[in-house]
Amino acid sequence: MSDTRSYLPASVWTFGDAAALFIGGVIGSIIAIVLATAVNGNTELETVPLLIISSLGQAAVTFGLLIYMSRSRGTGNWDLDFGFRFEPSDWRGILYGIGLQIGVTIAVLLPLAYLLGLEDPPQQDVADIAGDASSIGGRIAVLIVLVVIAPVTEELLFRGVLLSRLTRAMSPRSAVVVSAIVFAGIHLIDPDAAFVAVGLFVIGLVLGWQALHTGRLGLAIMTHAGVNLLAAVALLLDFDV
């Protein structure tokens, strides 16, 4: 991996593109919530529908921007532009993700909680929302958001666009580290995510390494999905992770 152009060599993305994708996703989320609230007669939405609507709005704008970027300045091929390609063997990423979540919890989060004297560490807002899902439909929707929508949109941003740009500015190892820092740092928009930031950084390192090693996002997306799957199931079943 000494050749900094070995990862997605056809990509032409800039740091501005990565920022635009992130900001666009946030704006899409806000617009979706505003529209849904207006349709609902300006009545405050419950937390689970709020999560679903927000995630769909974010994903819609993110994918819209990716389509525009690929057609206007890229090759028009998402494999070449973003590494968005899957192989049959990528299913194993689900198992990798489950193992990674367990490993990070045991090796990072539990010792950190012990050192900080936290008997009940703070959870991200999304964890509290997932815990509010009581109906079967609500739980399925939360799983789809956390295990499908979030991994795909986040990997396209952090490993498909940002990482490809970083590898043109620094060594592959440094690029993976920086992308993992940004990945963990973005989650600090939710102050309660501070406790899990170190764990998210470790997860970001693994996902970045997978993307560079395979030259595509399929395995990283499935691993990300596995990480979220275990966490989501534990939350929905009211287990402590």
Side-chain angles (χ1 to χ4, degrees):
M1 293 190 296
S2 58
D3 180 5
T4 58
R5 289 293 292 172
S6 63
Y7 179 63
L8 302 184
S11 68
V12 294
W13 315 125
T14 67
F15 293 125
D17 291 325
L21 280 175
F22 173 72
I23 294 171
V26 172
I27 293 174
S29 174
I30 294 172
I31 291 175
I33 292 172
V34 170
L35 291 176
T37 302
V39 170
N40 200 43
N42 291 321
T43 302
E44 185 176 353
L45 296 168
E46 295 181 2
T47 55
V48 173
L50 191 67
L51 171 66
I52 297 167
I53 292 167
S54 171
S55 299
L56 290 175
Q58 179 184 19
V61 172
T62 298
F63 272 82
L65 289 173
L66 288 168
I67 291 171
Y68 172 76
M69 288 164 55
S70 182
R71 290 181 176 178
S72 64
R73 288 186 291 120
T75 67
N77 183 321
W78 278 37
D79 180 9
L80 298 177
D81 292 336
F82 310 114
F84 191 64
R85 176 167 57 88
F86 292 85
E87 297 289 346
S89 60
D90 289 340
W91 69 268
R92 61 188 176 178
I94 294 290
L95 301 180
Y96 293 161
I98 292 173
L100 179 59
Q101 177 70 281
I102 293 172
V104 166
T105 300
I106 294 175
V108 178
L109 299 184
L110 291 180
L112 183 59
Y114 177 78
L115 289 173
L116 296 176
L118 300 175
E119 294 184 2
D120 187 20
Q123 298 187 97
Q124 298 180 71
D125 286 343
V126 68
D128 294 330
I129 293 173
D132 290 340
S134 56
S135 68
I136 296 297
R139 294 186 176 193
I140 292 174
V142 167
L143 280 174
I144 292 174
V145 167
L146 297 182
V147 182
V148 180
I149 297 176
V152 172
T153 55
E154 290 184 9
E155 290 311 304
L156 281 165
L157 168 58
F158 292 107
R159 261 62 67 172
V161 174
L162 179 61
L163 182 60
S164 69
R165 177 61 184 90
L166 287 169
T167 56
R168 304 202 306 273
M170 58 189 70
S171 71
R173 288 183 180 179
S174 297
V176 168
V177 171
V178 172
S179 67
I181 291 173
V182 176
F183 174 70
I186 287 296
H187 286 80
L188 293 178
I189 291 176
D190 174 7
D192 288 333
F195 173 73
V196 298
V198 177
L200 289 170
F201 170 71
V202 174
I203 291 170
L205 289 177
V206 173
L207 297 175
W209 178 85
Q210 287 180 328
L212 249 63
H213 181 70
T214 61
R216 54 190 177 79
L217 299 182
L219 183 59
I221 289 174
M222 297 302 286
T223 300
H224 196 152
V227 169
N228 287 7
L229 174 63
L230 182 60
V233 169
L235 290 167
L236 291 173
L237 296 179
D238 199 25
F239 292 152
D240 291 328
V241 178

